Amino acid sequence: QLYFLAGEIGKWRSSSEEINALIQKIPDQINNAGYVISDGLTPLNGDLSDPHFDTVSQQTLGMRYANHILEVLYQ
């Protein structure tokens, strides 16, 4: 009965489109599941080869996770 929440990876990497497409299908394949988008987020130190998000993007993504869970819990 636990809720599963996945997050998209940064969209600046060439492999992200394929992986994010799979992540977006999770709610169709797993009951009690969802995902958060990575739109508008940026890489650590502007390095497009680095898969990690910068500090502001980490905070933004964290808020997206929190807001999604709150919506699920209090719908």
Side-chain angles (χ1 to χ4, degrees), residues 2 26 43 48 50 52-53:
L2 292 176
I26 288 173
L48 297 179
D50 192 333
H52 300 95
F53 296 105

Side-chain angles (χ1 to χ4, degrees), residues 33-73:
Y35 70 94
V36 294
I37 61 172
S38 64
D39 290 351
L41 304 182
T42 53
L44 185 63
N45 298 321
D47 182 357
L48 297 179
S49 66
D50 192 333
H52 300 95
F53 296 105
D54 65 13
T55 301
V56 172
S57 293
Q58 289 177 36
Q59 293 169 342
T60 301
L61 192 59
M63 288 301 298
R64 290 177 185 174
Y65 274 95
N67 289 333
H68 186 96
I69 291 297
L70 286 172
E71 288 175 14
V72 169
L73 290 175

Side-chain angles (χ1 to χ4, degrees), residues 4-25:
F4 176 77
L5 183 59
E8 290 182 341
I9 63 171
K11 295 186 176 183
W12 56 87
R13 297 189 55 154
S14 59
S15 62
S16 67
E17 187 174 322
E18 183 179 331
I19 294 168
N20 285 340
L22 294 172
I23 290 170
Q24 293 166 7
K25 292 179 183 177

